[in-house]
Amino acid sequence: MNVGIDKISFFVPPYYVDMTDLALAREVDPNKFHIGIGQDKMAVNKKTQDIVTFAANAAKNILTDEDKKQIDMVIVGTESGIDESKASAVVLHRLLGIQPFARAFEIKEACYAGTAALQYAVAHIQSHPESRVLVIASDIAKYGLASGGEPTQGAGAVAMLVSAAPRILQLNDDSVALTQDIYDFWRPVGHDYPMVDGQLSNETYIQAFQKVWEEYQRRHNKSIADFHALAFHIPYTKMGKKALLAALEDESTDEQERILNKYESSILYSRQVGNLYTGSLYLGLISLLENGGLDAGEQVGLFSYGSGTVAEFFSGTLVEGYQTQLLTDLHQKQLAERKVLSIAEYEKIFNDVLNTDVDNEYEDSLLFSITATSNTVRAYKEK
């Protein structure tokens, strides 16, 4: 049975910071951000926008009324949960108007959670071919003003509809996963920002890729030559490239150039958005599909990574006519129409945090947004 991604879209907040402005404000050479980590813009959200609003705004791009009748599972992968008990997927299920007899739950394992959700969805469809599963990867990456991680922040969501006979990417049954208990990045309960060992995190990411890639090659007798492109989890765009370069050391110059050119296509959107945590790999996949010039039948390898650590390498086959299912114009229009913030505006928004312990009402121009807080509960603007 062919199971995979039938529809896919992303949403990012309508504000961003130019990395040159941020570098100058932090008295850093702008090349450290543009070249050193490979970022040009960084998405910024207001307090009236959270993982639920991102998810709903992303999902509205792809769901029809018929989809909502057939979806029997909603999964949100996130490390930015808004409640220690109730899953954001339950709220999302209501906002989107999905039929009531469906499962809705949330998955957490750092940036890997979106892939865990996708693989769970695939397994469900294999048992229930008539079903459809909505998978959302939604996050807000925040490290603090003037912190070491500040230039690798970001926010947004990627929505995927998983089904039998997918029209974009058929997922192959070849995944290899790796789990290691390493404290390279973690967020203790009650802490506003993550704890990060930057050097260890970079090293662990690269080593995790090398381990799963070597095991993948051993199990499936495949090599770089079997893939037309590789997409990576992108906390910042140079991170994926570091891991990729390590895998290309023994390849010919032509082979290296071929794969690296496709990698550049996969990071075009991430350079303008920043870190989406669970959505980063899939924003890269969208960018690759919309800008990479790939053909039907070609193989795409995907590397998913979540600090702490879980990593996975798997692959997919592009479906005939997949290009007609993409929302390229919508996505590029969304990125182009965002408002650039001054550093003062950015810092004001950053420090203006939603306090759910205070009852209040809010206004926001987004189709889905937070409209009020009452007795710690968030109320959302609906369609």
Side-chain angles (χ1 to χ4, degrees):
M1 180 191 304
N2 296 335
V3 180
I5 299 172
D6 189 59
K7 301 180 184 180
I8 189 167
S9 185
F10 71 82
F11 177 85
V12 296
Y15 313 101
Y16 71 91
V17 171
D18 185 278
M19 299 304 280
T20 294
D21 295 340
L22 183 62
L24 295 176
R26 302 297 181 247
E27 299 183 341
V28 172
D29 181 351
N31 286 332
K32 182 176 181 181
F33 293 167
H34 291 290
I35 300 174
I37 64 172
Q39 296 299 140
D40 296 327
K41 298 176 182 179
M42 183 177 77
V44 177
N45 65 289
K46 290 185 175 181
K47 67 181 179 183
T48 48
Q49 302 158 13
D50 63 10
I51 62 168
V52 173
T53 72
F54 297 155
N57 281 293
K60 73 175 177 56
N61 294 333
I62 61 174
L63 298 185
T64 65
D65 289 340
E66 185 63 27
D67 293 330
K68 295 173 186 179
K69 293 176 183 177
Q70 290 188 266
I71 290 171
D72 63 359
M73 188 176 293
V74 179
I75 316 174
V76 173
T78 186
E79 57 179 280
S80 310
I82 59 173
D83 191 287
E84 296 284 4
S85 178
K86 184 172 182 176
S88 56
V90 174
V91 182
L92 181 65
H93 171 275
R94 175 179 61 82
L95 289 179
L96 294 175
I98 292 169
Q99 63 89 14
F101 298 101
R103 293 189 180 99
F105 57 97
E106 197 171 285
I107 291 180
K108 180 183 75 178
E109 174 26 52
C111 300
Y112 171 75
T115 297
L118 179 61
Q119 296 292 15
Y120 194 101
V122 169
H124 177 74
I125 298 296
Q126 288 172 337
S127 298
H128 306 277
E130 74 288 352
S131 300
R132 298 179 188 178
V133 179
L134 177 63
V135 172
I136 306 277
S138 187
D139 268 303
I140 300 172
K142 291 183 82 170
Y143 295 96
L145 297 177
S147 66
E150 183 181 31
T152 64
Q153 297 177 140
V158 174
M160 295 175 277
L161 187 65
V162 182
S163 71
R167 291 174 292 179
I168 295 178
L169 188 71
Q170 173 191 329
L171 294 176
N172 301 324
D173 184 17
D174 62 355
S175 67
V176 174
L178 171 75
T179 296
Q180 305 172 114
D181 186 10
I182 299 174
Y183 277 85
D184 56 328
F185 172 109
W186 68 105
R187 187 191 303 179
V189 173
H191 285 240
D192 291 333
Y193 306 126
M195 314 294 286
V196 185
D197 184 331
Q199 182 176 346
L200 178 61
S201 183
N202 291 342
E203 292 172 354
T204 305
Y205 178 108
I206 294 171
Q207 291 171 358
F209 172 68
Q210 291 173 332
K211 288 179 180 178
V212 295
W213 173 238
E214 289 171 3
E215 181 65 13
Y216 179 89
Q217 292 178 96
R218 186 190 69 80
R219 290 189 191 183
H220 301 290
N221 193 30
K222 289 186 177 181
S223 68
I224 290 290
D226 293 297
F227 294 95
H228 293 83
L230 299 180
F232 285 73
H233 165 58
I234 311 170
Y236 55 91
T237 66
K238 274 297 181 69
M239 186 70 258
K241 189 172 184 178
K242 290 177 182 178
L244 179 56
L245 286 171
L248 293 176
E249 287 181 352
D250 297 329
E251 301 295 332
S252 68
T253 301
D254 288 345
E255 192 74 345
Q256 291 182 17
E257 183 177 353
R258 178 180 71 83
I259 293 294
L260 287 171
N261 282 340
K262 296 304 182 185
Y263 180 78
E264 291 300 317
S265 297
S266 77
I267 63 173
L268 289 176
Y269 294 163
S270 293
R271 288 191 71 98
Q272 302 180 59
V273 173
N275 194 352
L276 296 194
Y277 281 166
T278 54
S280 291
L281 167 60
Y282 300 100
L283 180 63
L285 174 61
I286 294 173
S287 184
L288 174 64
L289 298 181
E290 295 183 352
N291 300 287
L294 296 173
D295 294 324
E298 293 185 337
Q299 301 294 304
V300 176
L302 300 103
F303 175 65
S304 181
Y305 175 82
S307 297
T309 306
V310 179
E312 182 171 340
F313 187 88
F314 59 109
S315 72
T317 305
L318 289 169
V319 177
E320 186 71 38
Y322 81 90
Q323 298 92 336
T324 63
Q325 305 303 316
L326 302 177
L327 303 176
T328 307
D329 291 344
L330 174 68
H331 294 150
Q332 294 184 355
K333 182 173 183 287
Q334 180 189 164
L335 292 174
E337 292 182 349
R338 295 177 298 165
K339 175 188 174 183
V340 61
L341 300 174
S342 68
I343 297 303
E345 289 173 323
Y346 152 62
E347 292 181 347
K348 181 179 179 181
I349 289 175
F350 190 100
N351 289 318
D352 187 22
V353 179
L354 186 74
N355 185 352
T356 56
D357 290 325
V358 176
D359 292 356
N360 211 337
E361 295 183 354
Y362 305 98
E363 292 186 1
D364 193 301
S365 61
L366 293 184
L367 180 60
F368 293 100
S369 63
I370 298 171
T371 58
T373 53
S374 177
N375 192 29
T376 75
V377 175
R378 305 177 190 211
Y380 293 91
K381 183 195 302 180
E382 304 183 32
K383 294 192 302 181

